[in-house]
Amino acid sequence: MKRGSIRGLLGKNRFSRSFSHSSVNVIESVPKFPPNSTIFSLIQPTGKIHLGNYLGAIRNWKDLSESQSPGTKYIFGIADLHAITVPQNPAKLKENRYEAIASLLSAGIDPDACILYHQSSVPEHTELNWILTCITSMGSLNRMTQWKSKSQQIETSTIFDEDVLGKTKAGLLCYPVLQAADILIFKSTHVPVGDDQSQHLELCRNIASTFNHTFKTNYFPLPSTLLTPAKKMLSLRNPTKKMSKSDADQNSCIYVTESPDAIAKKIKKATTDSIQGKIYYDPENRPGISNLINIISGLSRKSVVDTVEDLSWVKDHKQLKDHVTELIVEEFTDKRHLFNELMTDFSYLDSICKVGTTKAREITSVNIQEIKKIVGLD
């Protein structure tokens, strides 16, 4: 596999609006970062990526890495340590790690322009994690919502309830600290995430601030959250819930690697409604139609308002579904071919990660020594 083939299959997209400096920003275009920024994000290795992963994270990473800000580092990777907060089959986890790297490459992430690696290959992540765990309150972790959903607890649950405490693994409760360590070990300045992670990014800023205050330093920058412009992709079969590869009904989810026929069949079965005539956006009363509009909006990089205006020619649900199918097939065809090619060459994927790990550790090994000196562990 030649690296040039990765870049050759996918064109580059450029935008022009400038970047605003608040702690949470919605990316309406590729921002202009201050020189020497560090852009960082990880994705969990949960197998082949679906449409929501692609529009919500990976395409955004590609766009950001093409912003060409002087001296800026782009660091993207696979959060394999986060994956084991819930039980994993070892063989399946290994396969998922390869699929995750292949997915990033096939989506256009350029390993020459970015650092691309597996989280577990950089031990400084876990070393900083312990230091930060020691200054993070249990109350802060208890207020996080994701551990509750992943341990199947209600939103009002508290870790201090004996029944909840017995059912919740420590790793699941504490992984937001590891997430903070992931970000801070690189002294990251900007973190692109979906809105479901914004709470964890706020905790990361609080942990960084606590560290700086405790040790009377300004060592860690307080990273800005970059929220993806794409709306959350919902289940094709039940548009009241998020699109997920764990859904028992696999017709609810479209994968980047699926054939045009498979995509067409899934879109054909997508839930709409009985309202005939003009297509319009109404997530409350027309969730299925609105979900399809969001897909078109994300793929075309246009606002929902402009997307609805562009759909004025659509007269019925079939025309809308045919149009959605055409857009998805066009977006994913080259990516599917490249993914399949990459998955026949694990040695190439290993070589990409090895180079990325070396580059990552050139940064993290220096930073952890400085952190240890601040803490008194040098």
Side-chain angles (χ1 to χ4, degrees), residues 310-352:
D310 289 345
L311 292 171
S312 60
W313 59 273
V314 174
K315 304 304 180 186
D316 54 41
H317 295 167
K318 182 181 183 304
Q319 281 188 323
L320 178 64
K321 288 184 174 183
D322 288 347
H323 183 54
V324 173
T325 299
E326 182 181 351
L327 287 178
I328 297 174
V329 169
E330 181 181 359
E331 184 78 18
F332 287 163
T333 294
D334 287 344
K335 296 171 179 61
R336 182 179 77 255
H337 292 321
L338 182 53
F339 176 89
N340 291 336
E341 188 177 354
L342 286 165
M343 286 299 290
T344 67
D345 192 352
F346 285 180
S347 63
Y348 175 74
L349 297 176
D350 286 336
S351 70
I352 292 293

Side-chain angles (χ1 to χ4, degrees), residues 130-147:
W130 178 247
I131 293 171
L132 299 182
T133 297
C134 293
I135 61 170
T136 303
S137 72
M138 287 290 291
S140 296
L141 297 176
N142 184 50
R143 285 190 289 273
M144 300 294 104
T145 58
Q146 284 216 338
W147 72 263

Side-chain angles (χ1 to χ4, degrees), residues 40-58:
F40 172 88
S41 198
L42 300 178
I43 189 171
Q44 286 208 36
T46 53
K48 299 178 181 70
I49 64 170
H50 59 61
L51 182 63
N53 302 141
Y54 175 72
L55 292 177
I58 297 174

Side-chain angles (χ1 to χ4, degrees), residues 54-126:
Y54 175 72
L55 292 177
I58 297 174
R59 190 181 66 174
N60 184 34
W61 294 2
K62 175 181 178 290
D63 292 345
L64 292 172
S65 67
E66 294 170 355
S67 60
Q68 295 185 330
S69 173
T72 291
K73 295 185 286 290
Y74 304 93
I75 305 169
F76 304 125
I78 310 305
D80 47 0
L81 293 175
H82 288 290
I84 63 173
T85 57
V86 294
Q88 298 283 336
N89 176 287
K92 185 61 177 175
L93 177 59
K94 187 170 185 177
E95 179 186 358
N96 286 351
R97 291 166 80 243
Y98 278 118
E99 287 187 342
I101 290 292
S103 295
L104 296 185
L105 293 172
S106 62
I109 301 294
D110 183 353
D112 290 335
C114 310
I115 294 175
L116 190 58
Y117 75 110
H118 290 296
Q119 175 195 29
S120 62
S121 68
V122 177
E124 289 80 14
H125 280 278
T126 51

Side-chain angles (χ1 to χ4, degrees), residues 19-20 22-27 31 33 39 60 64 190-194 201 224-228:
F19 176 69
S20 136
S22 63
S23 63
V24 180
N25 303 274
V26 177
I27 310 170
F33 296 105
I39 318 303
N60 184 34
L64 292 172
H190 304 85
V191 184
V193 293
L201 264 293
S224 294
T225 302
L226 301 178
L227 292 178
T228 177

Side-chain angles (χ1 to χ4, degrees), residues 214-226:
T214 300
F215 297 104
K216 297 179 174 56
T217 180
N218 290 314
Y219 186 77
F220 289 129
L222 305 186
S224 294
T225 302
L226 301 178

